[in-house]
Amino acid sequence: MITQTSISYYGLNYVEHAEADFKEMKAHGVTQVILAVTEFDFDFWRPNIPAIVDKAHELGLRVLIDPWGNGKYFGGEQVSKFLQDNVENRQVSALTGEKLPYACFNTNSYRDYFKNFCVTLARECKPDGFFWDEPHYAFPKGIASITGGVADDWTCYCPVCRKRFEEYYGYPMPKYMTNDVKLFRWREALVVLSDTSKALKEIDPNLEITCCVHATQNGYYVSEYRGYDNWDMVGACPYFDVFSTTIVNWALPEDFYLDITRRTVAIAKKYGKKSERWLMGYYKQPKDFSQVAHWVDLAAKEGVDRLAAWTYRGGYGTVVGAPDALKLWDTIGENYRRVIAKV
Ligand SMILES: [Zn+2]
């Protein structure tokens, strides 16, 4: 049964404007706001963030803080202050040695920065939890050949990662992605999120952590190797409460959506977590809007606990707005109201 219906929300500045938006969300059957807090918001709009969280609570909405695009390590379109302020501690290409515009989340510099960002917001804002939004290594992705090996380059080959690899395995880090490199990347990728999640629960044990990973096939032939594609390792993390997988484009086959949904529920159940599936509420819309109700019903039938959509008003007014953004938002709202009424 679907027990939470979420919408993401960014551009937060003024409490009284957020209040009007929160009321609109309530009218759209939303129970939970995924509050996208950027590094700029944290740096500049800090005084208003706790007041915005309080206002959402006052109106009966749960609030999860999303460190949206932080370090460009998480998904998202906004810019990163960490990258602006640090020329080092970036992910490095294994094959070319180039520094890339992605923070290396295996460096202590970024790990400290990220943890401070989250624990400060937890203390000041009293949210209901945090949302880890598409964390990833820069490369590779989209390995789509059944013969494998399309994306040869990978990250991270920075000095910190190389040193840690050599200390652990006793030989220099290879430039080819071997099994040791794969395991190293999976293990290190979980450290930053585990440590911060643990620190958050030490502040308040009721803070709920959702880890949302890319919806990938992860089959025998095809895997993305973005660091969180080993769903068993992610699901087994004791500090995560909700296992969530990202948006599938409406134009993709229903079988693909069903496969992702079933595997999401299976991993969540296996590790005693709640499951969450995302709907595409921006950028693209279904050819036939009745597909929204159909996919919502499929998720409910497969045992998904929570639904979420990116983003408020279908991305209206942004470069990633759906063609009929407000109609998409209203359609998602109708379906949220329909499923949440059964709780
Ligand atoms: Zn690195």
Side-chain angles (χ1 to χ4, degrees), residues 90-92 104-107 156-162:
R90 290 170 180 233
Q91 293 187 44
V92 170
C104 176
F105 45 87
N106 299 335
T107 61
C156 176
Y157 202 71
C158 79
V160 172
C161 286
R162 290 210 321 263

Side-chain angles (χ1 to χ4, degrees), residues 78-143:
Q78 79 307 306
V79 298
S80 164
K81 194 159 184 311
F82 180 88
L83 293 178
Q84 176 185 298
D85 295 345
N86 293 272
V87 289
E88 300 300 331
N89 301 296
R90 290 170 180 233
Q91 293 187 44
V92 170
S93 149
L95 296 193
T96 71
E98 279 177 292
K99 287 180 198 167
L100 301 167
Y102 295 81
C104 176
F105 45 87
N106 299 335
T107 61
N108 288 338
S109 173
Y110 181 75
R111 283 176 180 176
D112 288 353
Y113 173 84
F114 175 65
K115 187 190 280 183
N116 178 61
F117 182 95
C118 295
V119 297
T120 302
L121 289 172
R123 289 199 178 99
E124 292 181 1
C125 303
K126 309 263 184 299
D128 298 280
F130 281 77
F131 181 81
W132 306 149
D133 187 349
E134 300 183 352
H136 59 280
Y137 286 101
F139 298 134
K141 69 172 188 179
I143 297 177

Side-chain angles (χ1 to χ4, degrees), residues 3-4 208 210 240-244 264-265 267-269 271-276 304-306:
T3 55
Q4 296 290 346
E208 188 188 73
T210 301
F240 300 160
D241 304 289
V242 181
F243 181 74
S244 173
T264 303
V265 172
I267 288 285
K269 283 198 172 142
Y271 296 101
K273 320 281 182 186
K274 294 208 178 326
S275 57
E276 179 177 83
V304 168
D305 297 305
R306 298 182 175 189

Side-chain angles (χ1 to χ4, degrees), residues 37 42 46 49-50 53-54 57 63-65 114-130 132 196-209:
V37 180
F42 182 85
R46 272 273 284 298
I49 302 173
V53 174
D54 285 350
H57 281 156
V63 179
L64 304 187
I65 288 180
F114 175 65
K115 187 190 280 183
N116 178 61
F117 182 95
C118 295
V119 297
T120 302
L121 289 172
R123 289 199 178 99
E124 292 181 1
C125 303
K126 309 263 184 299
D128 298 280
F130 281 77
W132 306 149
T196 296
S197 303
K198 181 169 177 282
L200 290 169
K201 284 179 183 281
E202 283 164 1
I203 292 169
D204 177 0
N206 294 321
L207 276 174
E208 188 188 73
I209 308 293

